[in-house]
Amino acid sequence: MKKPAWLILGVICLVAGLALGLTNAFTQDAIRRQSAADEDKARAAVMPQADAFEELAVPENTAVDGVSILSCYAAFSKGEACGWVVKASAQGYGGPIEVTLGVGLDGVVTGINCGGASFAETAGLGAKVKEGDFTHQFAGMSAPVRVTKDGGEVDAVTSATISSRAVCDAVNAACEYAGTLGE
């Protein structure tokens, strides 16, 4: 006797769904740990002089000039405050671009790191905002920063001005937010 196709497909879907659910359950903690390690690494990269970070409370839905402020850490070197690390998210061409920014007590940018879990800029174009050739030019600058096309000093990624502007917007918002912490 021939079994109905819907029954066979139903069993296949059930087994596949259970397998995916179990895989998710087993890997969820490892993914969370890896994500935390990546964020620690990003903080250390943008604030290299710091040896410790303390998370500060950021009210939900905090935004500066339309840029979301996702997190903020006070940075310390040998027990003394040396600045802040702020993560901001601005709208790029393909979606949100998360920028982790280190800013010293003097308001000078110590470094930035671009990306984020939902980073979706065009490969080979907007995705180049994650590369060192673009991000390294922010170190030593103070807000406001703008791309050269808008009269600033930041060389935009070729054919990715929208993405480059989004990074500048995130840097400016993060600097402004950090500036309110020292008051």
Side-chain angles (χ1 to χ4, degrees):
M1 181 170 173
K2 201 172 183 187
K3 293 183 179 150
W6 65 268
L7 181 62
I8 294 169
L9 288 174
V11 169
I12 290 171
C13 288
L14 182 65
V15 169
L18 286 172
L20 287 172
L22 287 172
T23 300
N24 183 50
F26 286 123
T27 60
Q28 194 170 15
D29 288 338
I31 292 170
R32 193 176 300 119
R33 282 191 306 274
Q34 183 61 45
S35 178
D38 289 346
E39 290 198 15
D40 289 344
K41 194 175 176 182
R43 281 191 291 277
V46 300
M47 184 66 74
Q49 66 270 33
D51 53 30
F53 298 95
E54 179 184 313
E55 186 170 13
L56 304 174
V58 176
E60 198 170 323
N61 299 322
T62 299
V64 176
D65 296 328
V67 175
S68 299
I69 305 298
L70 305 176
S71 66
C72 183
Y73 288 79
F76 298 92
S77 177
K78 297 177 185 158
E80 296 291 321
C82 62
W84 297 275
V85 175
V86 181
K87 185 193 278 188
S89 178
Q91 185 63 33
Y93 181 78
I97 299 175
E98 289 180 8
V99 176
T100 302
L101 168 113
V103 61
L105 296 175
D106 58 359
V108 175
V109 174
T110 57
I112 72 166
N113 183 306
C114 298
S118 55
F119 187 83
E121 297 304 288
T122 308
L125 293 174
K128 288 185 177 183
V129 299
K130 293 170 68 173
E131 297 176 3
D133 288 343
F134 179 73
T135 60
H136 288 159
Q137 62 185 323
F138 288 89
M141 291 185 170
S142 297
V145 296
R146 292 185 305 276
V147 295
T148 54
K149 197 176 211 180
D150 298 335
E153 298 174 358
V154 176
D155 290 326
V157 173
T158 303
S159 300
T161 307
I162 294 171
S163 302
S164 301
R165 281 184 179 134
V167 172
C168 288
D169 290 345
V171 167
N172 290 331
C175 284
E176 186 174 329
Y177 185 80
T180 66
L181 298 173
E183 298 174 351

